[in-house]
């Protein structure tokens, strides 16, 4: 069966993620969480991760998502903002609505690995 990755194409996926990080690193609501991190490295890791998540050739060679985000104080609002930025980029690249929906759903399922804290900071 054709994977979501095959439907998108690897170069297209890389362009989407690159644009996404350009925005995330400048976004007033979440850019501070990226201070001191290497945008190029994160972009490369995220391209690997998203390729694997969408059924493309692997493997993802980065840190586990739990480990990568453990030291960061990411709350529900930060996560939600990230998903808004990602949705905007997917729309601007005119990604097929079915692929967009599945992409965001697969990422939403990762939230427990990334968002931490008690209800009072979410
Ligand atoms: C579905 C949601 C997310 C996914 C799939 C994801 C994926 C990743 C990946 C693949 C890495 C690279 C790990 C490595 O270097 O080996 C990473 C690191 C990182 N992510 Fe995320 N992430 C998500 C949400 C977020 C959010 C909401 C934020 C902040 C607003 C964030 C901030 C960071 C930062 C700062 C790092 C660098 C950590 C380090 O190198 O120690 N991520 N993420």
């Amino acid at each position: 069966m054709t994977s979501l990755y095959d439907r998108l194409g690897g170069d297209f996926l890389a362009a989407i993620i690159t644009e996404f990080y350009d925005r995330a690193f400048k976004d007033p609501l979440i850019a501070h969480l990226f201070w001191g991190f290497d945008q190029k490295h994160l972009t490369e890791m995220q391209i690997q991760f998203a390729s694997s998540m969408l059924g493309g050739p692997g493997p993802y060679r980065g840190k586990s998502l739990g480990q990568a985000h453990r030291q960061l104080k990411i709350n529900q609002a930060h996560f939600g903002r990230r998903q808004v930025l990602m949705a905007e980029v997917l729309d601007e690249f005119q990604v097929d609505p079915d692929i967009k929906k599945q992409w965001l759903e697969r990422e939403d399922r990762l939230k427990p690995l990334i968002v931490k804290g008690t209800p009072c900071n979410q």
Side-chain angles (χ1 to χ4, degrees):
M1 204 179 77
T2 311
S3 67
L4 296 179
Y5 175 90
D6 288 332
R7 287 169 64 189
L8 278 168
D11 289 346
F12 193 49
L13 181 142
I16 290 168
I17 302 277
T18 301
E19 175 62 24
F20 165 75
Y21 270 115
D22 278 350
R23 291 186 194 198
F25 269 72
K26 289 186 206 131
D27 185 74
L29 299 180
I30 58 171
H32 62 285
L33 291 159
F34 293 100
W35 287 347
F37 291 105
D38 179 347
Q39 183 176 346
K40 188 163 174 285
H41 169 76
L42 278 188
T43 302
E44 281 165 12
M45 288 297 109
Q46 184 79 238
I47 289 168
Q48 266 185 25
F49 185 86
S51 300
S52 163
M53 181 182 81
L54 299 172
Y60 165 62
R61 295 185 188 279
K63 299 172 189 160
S64 73
L65 289 199
Q67 195 192 354
H69 300 89
R70 187 168 298 141
Q71 304 300 328
L72 304 168
K73 294 192 167 63
I74 299 174
N75 63 26
Q76 299 274 4
H78 299 132
F79 190 92
R81 179 63 184 164
R82 181 205 184 272
Q83 296 310 79
V84 167
L85 291 181
M86 184 60 87
E88 283 175 4
V89 174
L90 294 174
D91 282 341
E92 284 173 34
F93 278 75
Q94 299 182 351
V95 169
D96 178 284
D98 172 55
I99 299 179
K100 174 188 167 194
K101 181 168 173 285
Q102 292 198 57
W103 180 323
L104 294 175
E105 279 174 2
R106 288 180 194 194
E107 287 190 341
D108 280 343
R109 282 188 227 129
L110 303 169
K111 186 154 68 167
L113 298 172
I114 292 162
V115 170
K116 54 189 63 69
T118 56
C120 62
N121 78 345
Q122 291 176 4

